[in-house]
Amino acid sequence: MSELIFYTNPQSRGRIVRWMLEETGASYRTEIVPYGPVMKGPDYLAINPMGKVPAIRHGATIVTECAAICAYLADAFPAAGLAPPTDRRGDYYRWLFFAAGPVEAAVTDKMLKVEPNAEQRGSVGYGSFEETIDNLERAVTGRPYFCGDQFTAADVYAGSHIAWGMMFKTIEERPAFIDYVARIHDRPAYKRAAELDDAAAAATV
């Protein structure tokens, strides 16, 4: 088995990948990367030239970017059932990367008080914030998960964005979102991941 190393900081989006790792059941080693000179230093830049966490190294393979890491881990550990069969991955890919693209861009722009006008909406991938969040709401209404009855990496990634958005008040606390987040946060792997990251955060203070 190739060694799996997880580079993270508990005060980062690495929490998404920690949860994904716990869902896979894979054995992994954690390296906490402090912010500042270490994260921007040559040793870590050899892992991620952006100088950001999270990242993973699986044998000789390095993967960065949360959505990419989630997709990679789902394929690397198929026994965990975190991706549908390839002929049923339409919703899976759609919502995994909808969250990585339109949702993240729309939420960030709103937070920065950047709002495209009617003419500019055709030039931005998300169109409008309202349109993006309404589509996200529809995706989790009337079914347990983004891919129907199957929990997948799309729920780990997109679900984390919904949960954080509501926590930081960048996404409205709609009933469908509240019910959905309660459901995915009740998973044992999520609870284990949160405990591990909370403990790591306390140790680094």
Side-chain angles (χ1 to χ4, degrees), residues 30-184:
T30 302
E31 289 201 10
I32 302 296
V33 185
Y35 287 108
V38 174
M39 196 175 289
K40 300 297 184 182
D43 288 345
Y44 186 67
L45 290 177
I47 302 297
N48 185 352
M50 290 293 290
K52 292 179 177 291
V53 289
I56 63 167
R57 184 201 293 270
H58 189 204
T61 301
I62 294 174
V63 189
T64 68
E65 314 311 317
C66 283
I69 296 171
C70 288
Y72 175 85
L73 290 172
D75 286 342
F77 300 97
L82 294 166
T86 53
D87 61 346
R88 292 195 285 109
R89 288 195 180 182
D91 281 347
Y92 172 72
Y93 286 131
R94 177 186 181 186
W95 297 112
L96 182 60
F97 295 107
F98 184 82
V103 172
E104 179 152 6
V107 169
T108 300
D109 280 358
K110 187 174 180 65
M111 183 179 64
L112 297 176
K113 303 187 186 314
V114 175
E115 185 173 353
N117 59 38
E119 292 182 358
Q120 294 169 329
R121 286 178 183 176
S123 300
V124 294
Y126 62 85
S128 72
F129 177 83
E130 293 76 19
E131 212 175 3
T132 300
I133 302 306
D134 287 348
N135 273 284
L136 194 63
E137 180 184 23
R138 281 191 284 273
V140 296
T141 299
R143 57 182 181 174
Y145 306 113
F146 280 101
C147 295
D149 292 332
Q150 183 181 1
F151 178 90
T152 69
D155 295 289
V156 174
Y157 184 76
S160 293
H161 277 278
I162 294 171
W164 286 347
M166 290 196 297
M167 182 172 67
F168 291 112
K169 309 301 181 187
T170 55
I171 292 178
E172 183 183 357
E173 293 182 308
R174 302 181 182 183
F177 291 152
I178 293 170
D179 290 347
Y180 170 73
V181 169
R183 186 159 51 253
I184 62 174

